[in-house]
Structure formats: structure tokens, C-alpha cells
């Protein structure tokens, strides 16, 4: 399985503190060492850094830890391959353009017998079920909103309908962002925290490092951090309920809903959905 | 105007020597200091690094100069903005997915009154004519080959038909790659060289640096380098003729054709093609 880290902020903020703790899990405090990726939005543009080396050993991850890229929407992923190849095209986050905006997606989980019909507009480059789920989500959005970019509320309403259906096939914790906001969904495990004025002190779990956020922020700042496992041990992190979808915008919750996730029983599975081969699940 | 650097190789090769010379033109030996970008294919996946700082000052460019990423297809771009914003979404190369492959594109030039009809499948994220031309090219390819990925020859045949039409609107020197090969086209200025066994010594023009390629290569290696202005002063670079399109694969020329480029005269211009506002041309 993999781990996810997301950040959504009111003002452009660097993710260095959180990424330092998170990336320790890529071989030091945990064993998610089969590649990593991180995407930073700057307005509509997106910078994506991926590597098939671990976030502990990768020179690119080293560079990211030291270079404070300020962004309002960030998605990071560290990978532990359970099946499938450890190569660059299977590294999360994945990126596609839709309606003149970049969209980024990362997934933690394992989808079984998931074989949706795609129109061909978005096709996986690698062979993960994660990228296939991303292409399916965008395909559905593109088909339902042919006239152009819908509102965040409209997107949320479609996602809360589709995500539980994909989750019938397995664990489906994911982040999706178009640079305006961050959509998050958990079927098993995600945690979130919002840091805002008055900012306090935080201490990482995975590294002997702490920060007094009040010395590096202003009253305008507000930051939501969402991650698989809490990153600090002196703050209160909220756990997502199974099936919970949360839309973060400007560092706070804009929409929140609890969906019903039902796992498909084997006998109910449609044979046409069964994939003959299955690569890296997350 | 901007400058382009491309590399197409028989075996994965790093571009550090060429990029060191090329990036000097981003403020030291020339003034192309309004951002840079470089994309490396690794099989079907693509790593893209862009910055709106110059390739001389950018910490990302610094990282690239020191980190030997091996690739068979590389496209780099340094920018001198003549119009338009210096921001990340206007940085070349641009990337899109088509037929389950990443496609990258970079352009040097300035297109006037270029306003093609797009289906909406590929839409510019930024406001450059370059990204618009890229979206138009992919849109045309997607429409003509609905069944899936055509052969390189089929793509070449479409590009040699469309590129001169776009070039009616201005200077259109570009690179396009899907990771299998590198398509290049010049209306005003590009130069190429193929380095192969027996490898020789090369000396950069823009930096006091030289290399004996015979010490770092094998007889299997073959590298085509294509760039706006020659990078070395002791090798023979070939100039593209105006309207020449060359397809490089495995470090050598696979196809080469001379197209006829005619500039539109003002009175012939269709008013529907006239854009009211025009952003960064290259």
C-alpha cells in the first residue's frame, strides 16, 4: 500500500515541514520506498516531480525537501508496490488537462476486477488501476459537463456519486485537485487537520523536528493538511469515516459528505469487469 | 524569441553537457532569461521540469545541470518573453496525453492572427500561441486517427501537411515527441548534428568546457542534438532549410522533407482568424 499527503491553503504555503516527516516513511520509519511523487499547483499551472527511487534516496526528493515551493494545492504520494512494475509511468500523482486546467490525482488502495469502459479521451499511460480510475473519473466529468468547467459543487456532486461505485472494487482513498480546491475521499484511512490563527507549535512523529508556526505565518494563513497517518504527535488529527468525501478550499472544509460504500460480493461481479491481468494496485 | 534544444538517442543518454552550454544563454551569453523548461522521456513516462526563473538562476536548472537523467528523447526551452506573462502555465515544453502516451511540445517563434477551431479535447492552460498550436496539432491528430496510435510515418505525413499552414501565421520552429521519436520543424532557424562511433571531442561555445565523447560512450551510442544555434565550435552543425521537417529516431534521421511555407499577406487574412488579444508568442 501507499501513503498520501495533501495540502490545501488560503495563501501560497510551502509543504517542507510536512514533506520532511512524510518522506521519512519511504524507508526509515516505514517501507514505502518504491518511488514517490509530488505535484504543486501555482495558479492553473502544475509542477510535478516523480521518481522511481524512494523519497529517502531520490536526489529529486532531496531537492524538494530543501526548496520551498509555495503552493495552495499540493498532492504527494509514496509508494510501496505490492504488484506491478516500479517505473516512472506508474508513479503518482497523475496529471491530465481538462477544460483548460491541469488535474492531478493520487490514490492509496487496491482495486480488484475494475475494468470500466473509457471513451478514449483519457487513457492510462502506465498499467496501474489508480491511473485507470483517474481516467474514468475525468471521462465521466467530461461527458457530464460538455459545455465547460462546472462549479466545484457540481464536481463534488458527481464525485460523491461515482467514488462509492469505484470503491465497490476495493480500497479507494484518493486526492483530486484542479488547482482551485482539493477533493479527498477515504474508504479506509485518511486524516486531516486545519491549522489557522492563532498558530501553534507542531512536532513531527517521523523525525526529531518541530516548528512554531506562529513565527512563520500571518493571520491570513490557513492550511489544511490531509494524510494517510497523522504527521505530528501534539496536534489533534481528525479521521475520515469510511466513505467520507471532503472538499477543501482556501484551507478549510467547503463540502463534506458521508457516502455508503458496499463491497461487491464475488457472485455479484459482472464478468465483463474482470481484468485478465492486473498490475500495480496503488 | 526563445531558444530550443532537443536530443534523440539510440540509448538512454544524459544531456548535461549540451544543457550546460545551452542554459548559459539564459542570461550570460544571451538574454533568454524569462523562464525555462526541460522534459525527459523515460519509456512512455515523461519528467517535466519548468520554472519561471531563468535557467541561470533557477535552483531547478541548477539541479538539472548536476543530475544526469538518462533519456532517449529530451526537449528543452529557454524563454525571452516579447509579449505575455512570465508565469508557469506559459512555460514550454507543454505536455498532453494522447492514445495512452505523453506528448511534449516546445516552440520558438511568434504566430500572428492564429485562431484555429478546437474541438475542446485539448485546451490551452496558459495564454500562449505556442500552446494553442500544440493543442491544434494534437486535436488534428486525434481526429484523423480515431482508432488509436498511428505509425510514426503516418504522424509525419499529417505534420508535414499541417505545420506549413500554421507557419503561414509566423515563425514556427518546433519540437514534438511522444517518447518514441522526435519531430522537428523549422521555418527560420534550427541546427542539428548526429554524434556516433567513432566519437570525438567537443567544445562548448557558451562555456569554457569540453568533453571527449569517446571516453563516455560505447559503439552502441548514437545521439542527435537539435538546437536553435550550434552549441559547439569544433563540430559541423547542419542548418535546417526554411520549411524543413525532420523526424529523428534512435539518434538518426528517419524522415526528412522540405515543405513550402508561404506567409499570409494581410489582405488575404480571414477576419475570423484575427485574435483580439494576443499573449506571449513563444
Amino acid at each position: 500500500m501507499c501513503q498520501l499527503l495533501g495540502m490545501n491553503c488560503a495563501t501560497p504555503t510551502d509543504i517542507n515541514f510536512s514533506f520532511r516527516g512524510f518522506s521519512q516513511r519511504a524507508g526509515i520509519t516505514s517501507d514505502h520506498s518504491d518511488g514517490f511523487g509530488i505535484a504543486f499547483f501555482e495558479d492553473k499551472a502544475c509542477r510535478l516531480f516523480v521518481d522511481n527511487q524512494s523519497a529517502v534516496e531520490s536526489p529529486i526528493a532531496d531537492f524538494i525537501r530543501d526548496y520551498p515551493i509555495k503552493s495552495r494545492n499540493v498532492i504527494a504520494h509514496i509508494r510501496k508496490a505490492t504488484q506491478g512494475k516500479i517505473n516512472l509511468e506508474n508513479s503518482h500523482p497523475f496529471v491530465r488537462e481538462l477544460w483548460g486546467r491541469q488535474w492531478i490525482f493520487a490514490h492509496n488502495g487496491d482495486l480488484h476486477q475494475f475494468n470500466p469502459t473509457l471513451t478514449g479521451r483519457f487513457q492510462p499511460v502506465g498499467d496501474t488501476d489508480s491511473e485507470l480510475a483517474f481516467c474514468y473519473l475525468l471521462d465521466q466529468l467530461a461527458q457530464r459537463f460538455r459545455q465547460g468547467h462546472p462549479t466545484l459543487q457540481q464536481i463534488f456532486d458527481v464525485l460523491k456519486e461515482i467514488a462509492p461505485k469505484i470503491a465497490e472494487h476495493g480500497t479507494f482513498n484518493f486526492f483530486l485537485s484542479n488547482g482551485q480546491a482539493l477533493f479527498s475521499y477515504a474508504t479506509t484511512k485518511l486524516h486531516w487537520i486545519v491549522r489557522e490563527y492563532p498558530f501553534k507549535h507542531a512536532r513531527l512523529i517521523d523525525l526529531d523536528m518541530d516548528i512554531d508556526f506562529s513565527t512563520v505565518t500571518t493571520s491570513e494563513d490557513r492550511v489544511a493538511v490531509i494524510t494517510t497517518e497523522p504527521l505530528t504527535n501534539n496536534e489533534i488529527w481528525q479521521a475520515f469515516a469510511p466513505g467520507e468525501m471532503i472538499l477543501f478550499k482556501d484551507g478549510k472544509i467547503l463540502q463534506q459528505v458521508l457516502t455508503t460504500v458496499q463491497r461487491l460480493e464475488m457472485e455479484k461481479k459482472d464478468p465483463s469487469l474482470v481484468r485478465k491481468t492486473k498490475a500495480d494496485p496503488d
Side-chain angles (χ1 to χ4, degrees), chain A residues 236-257:
Chain A
I236 297 169
W237 292 75
Q238 308 292 326
F240 280 58
E244 191 166 19
M245 178 171 286
I246 307 181
L247 169 58
F248 292 92
K249 187 170 191 306
D250 300 328
K252 61 184 175 187
I253 291 176
L254 189 66
Q255 290 285 329
Q256 190 168 16
V257 72

Side-chain angles (χ1 to χ4, degrees), chain A residues 61-207:
Chain A
D62 237 11
F63 173 78
I64 300 293
R65 274 186 288 271
D66 288 335
Y67 185 50
I69 297 176
K70 288 185 184 272
S71 170
R72 293 178 62 197
N73 287 283
V74 179
I75 292 178
H77 182 269
I78 52 175
R79 183 163 174 228
K80 182 179 176 182
T82 48
Q83 297 179 51
K85 291 183 286 251
I86 301 171
N87 58 20
L88 211 56
E89 59 255 38
N90 285 344
S91 297
H92 308 218
F94 303 104
V95 183
R96 293 292 187 281
E97 174 262 314
L98 174 60
W99 303 309
R101 276 195 169 268
Q102 302 289 0
W103 291 74
I104 57 179
F105 175 88
H107 169 220
N108 152 237
D110 196 351
L111 299 174
H112 300 280
Q113 298 161 305
F114 175 62
N115 189 22
T117 302
L118 299 177
T119 64
R121 173 162 176 180
F122 303 98
Q123 293 180 42
V125 174
D127 53 9
T128 65
D129 287 341
S130 305
E131 192 185 8
L132 182 62
F134 178 39
C135 290
Y136 177 69
L137 284 177
L138 292 189
D139 220 20
Q140 289 292 313
L141 287 168
Q143 285 188 65
R144 294 180 194 216
F145 303 106
R146 292 177 189 270
Q147 300 311 310
H149 208 305
T151 64
L152 293 173
Q153 180 65 56
Q154 288 174 311
I155 297 167
F156 187 83
D157 289 343
V158 171
L159 292 178
K160 78 182 183 193
E161 175 199 325
I162 300 175
K165 291 183 184 165
I166 298 175
E168 292 179 4
H169 295 269
T171 304
F172 193 47
N173 305 310
F174 77 83
F175 294 152
L176 175 72
S177 178
N178 68 345
Q180 296 178 306
L182 194 147
F183 300 87
S184 57
Y185 185 69
T187 58
T188 57
K189 196 184 284 183
L190 272 184
H191 294 80
W192 63 268
I193 191 170
V194 168
R195 297 188 183 119
E196 60 193 332
Y197 183 83
F199 286 92
K200 294 177 185 155
H201 169 266
R203 174 179 296 277
L204 289 177
I205 293 172
D206 300 85
L207 195 62

Side-chain angles (χ1 to χ4, degrees), chain A residues 24-89:
Chain A
Q24 289 289 300
R25 299 174 183 175
I28 294 175
T29 54
S30 188
D31 57 352
H32 299 81
S33 51
D34 300 323
F36 89 102
I38 185 164
F40 301 84
F41 271 103
E42 294 179 37
D43 193 13
K44 295 199 311 183
C46 182
R47 294 186 206 250
L48 174 65
F49 300 89
V50 286
D51 208 348
N52 43 15
Q53 291 185 65
S54 82
V56 169
E57 290 172 352
S58 160
I60 296 175
D62 237 11
F63 173 78
I64 300 293
R65 274 186 288 271
D66 288 335
Y67 185 50
I69 297 176
K70 288 185 184 272
S71 170
R72 293 178 62 197
N73 287 283
V74 179
I75 292 178
H77 182 269
I78 52 175
R79 183 163 174 228
K80 182 179 176 182
T82 48
Q83 297 179 51
K85 291 183 286 251
I86 301 171
N87 58 20
L88 211 56
E89 59 255 38

Side-chain angles (χ1 to χ4, degrees), chain A residues 5 7 13-25 38 40 64-69 193 195 200-213 216-217 223 225 230-235 237:
Chain A
L5 168 64
M7 185 176 75
T13 305
D14 77 65
I15 198 169
N16 291 43
F17 177 73
S18 294
F19 186 67
R20 279 181 180 274
F22 181 69
S23 61
Q24 289 289 300
R25 299 174 183 175
I38 185 164
F40 301 84
I64 300 293
R65 274 186 288 271
D66 288 335
Y67 185 50
I69 297 176
I193 191 170
R195 297 188 183 119
K200 294 177 185 155
H201 169 266
R203 174 179 296 277
L204 289 177
I205 293 172
D206 300 85
L207 195 62
D208 183 14
M209 188 176 191
D210 59 284
I211 191 167
D212 179 356
F213 282 117
V216 292
T217 51
V223 178
V225 179
L231 290 167
T232 58
N233 57 15
N234 66 330
E235 298 177 297
W237 292 75

